[in-house]
Structure formats: structure tokens, C-alpha cells
Amino acid sequence: MARADVGQSNILFWNKQVARGAQILSALLIRALPSAADTPQHQDAREGSPLASFKSSGISNLHSVAKPFKNTEYANSRRWKNLKQVVAQEQADSDWPVDFPAYWAIDAPPSLLPQKKYCDITGLPALYTDPKTNIRYHSAEVYRVVRTLPPGSEQLYLAARNANVTLK
């Protein structure tokens, strides 16, 4: 079979598939169209429809209908407190034993994870450290700024994180 014949047969195959898909789609659309009984005028008259039962009950205001699932005497007596209020309340209740854990006396062991390093210029996570000035920086753009700092100003950035060098 020649190459042109293969291409032509593929086109015919896909044309048949598209035509078949169009037939299926039109059949689904015809089934989905509402019939005369589904129109709004006839829908209310159906037995068992919620709207028909509502109209036959004579209720005009739903707020006046008793709702058995809702307790009218229920009131949420729970009040949300922030941490400061909880700590003040716990400190006022001094009946706790000395070794009892409380919000104002939570002691945690030191973390096993390494300390996070942040950029001295931007405050973003620092991926790099300048070996000359020991300033941490986030990206190449920040490194260009570090390179243009006047002499001695890097000590101010290092002092902000308590890493400055003081010679005595």
C-alpha cells in the first residue's frame, strides 16, 4: 500500500469516527430535551413533587413552621479565648502543682534540626554566604547589592544577627 493510500485511509477512518460521535451526541441531546410533561406548567401538577405538596399544605411563610430538627432553646455558651486570656486564667488558678505543664511554663528541648539561615538583606531563606564579608544572601541579584556595599557597612548587617566581628 502506498504512503498516500495510508494517509487517505486514516482520513476516512477519522471522518467515520467523527460522524459516529455526532450521531451519538445528537441522540443524547434528544433524550435530554424536556418533554411536554416536564414544562413548568405541568411540573406543579405532578403527584409527589415538593412544590405541589407545599402548595397543597397552605403554608405561606416558612419561618412560622416548626422545625423539629432545630432546638430553639440552644444557646452557645462557649466563649472563644485567645492565648493571653488562657494564660492569665491559668496563672490566676494557682492550685496547680509546680511540675504541672501550663502555657506559661512550657519548656521544650533544643531542636535537632539545623538552624534556618536567612538573607541579611531581604530576609528570604539564604542559600549562599559571601566568603569575603560573611553576609548571607538569597540570589545573584542580592549578591550584586552585597558587592556594592561600602566598606564597614557589612558589619551593621552582621550585627543585626549577632554575628559581627569585634576586635579587641
Side-chain angles (χ1 to χ4, degrees):
M1 191 179 253
R3 189 174 179 101
D5 294 338
V6 171
Q8 188 67 25
S9 65
N10 282 342
I11 291 172
L12 290 175
F13 171 77
W14 286 111
N15 283 343
K16 288 179 185 177
Q17 293 298 323
V18 169
R20 178 70 181 140
Q23 288 174 351
I24 293 171
L25 185 62
S26 64
L28 289 174
L29 287 175
I30 289 172
R31 287 185 196 145
L33 289 176
S35 63
D38 291 337
T39 57
Q41 295 86 11
H42 300 289
Q43 203 169 24
D44 297 344
R46 279 193 198 161
E47 300 258 344
S49 76
L51 190 57
S53 63
F54 175 72
K55 285 184 177 179
S56 65
S57 67
I59 299 171
S60 61
N61 187 359
L62 285 177
H63 293 291
S64 64
V65 177
K67 298 172 187 73
F69 57 86
K70 190 172 183 181
N71 186 358
T72 57
E73 297 175 11
Y74 175 77
N76 189 0
S77 61
R78 193 170 176 190
R79 198 176 129 240
W80 293 97
K81 298 177 184 177
N82 59 24
L83 180 65
K84 191 174 183 180
Q85 291 171 330
V86 171
V87 169
Q89 183 181 3
E90 284 188 3
Q91 284 179 343
D93 300 337
S94 60
D95 299 340
W96 302 105
V98 176
D99 60 342
F100 189 79
Y103 280 108
W104 67 87
I106 293 179
D107 292 327
S111 176
L112 298 174
L113 298 173
Q115 185 178 6
K116 289 192 174 190
K117 297 175 181 174
Y118 294 101
C119 176
D120 291 323
I121 309 294
T122 63
L124 296 170
L127 303 174
Y128 315 102
T129 303
D130 181 24
K132 185 176 177 184
T133 60
N134 208 19
I135 289 182
R136 296 178 184 151
Y137 58 95
H138 175 71
S139 63
E141 295 174 22
V142 180
Y143 182 67
R144 284 189 223 116
V145 172
V146 170
R147 285 278 144 222
T148 61
L149 289 175
S153 64
E154 71 272 354
Q155 292 300 322
L156 297 173
Y157 284 106
L158 293 173
R161 65 174 161 105
N162 294 328
N164 57 338
V165 178
T166 54
L167 300 174
K168 293 182 183 183

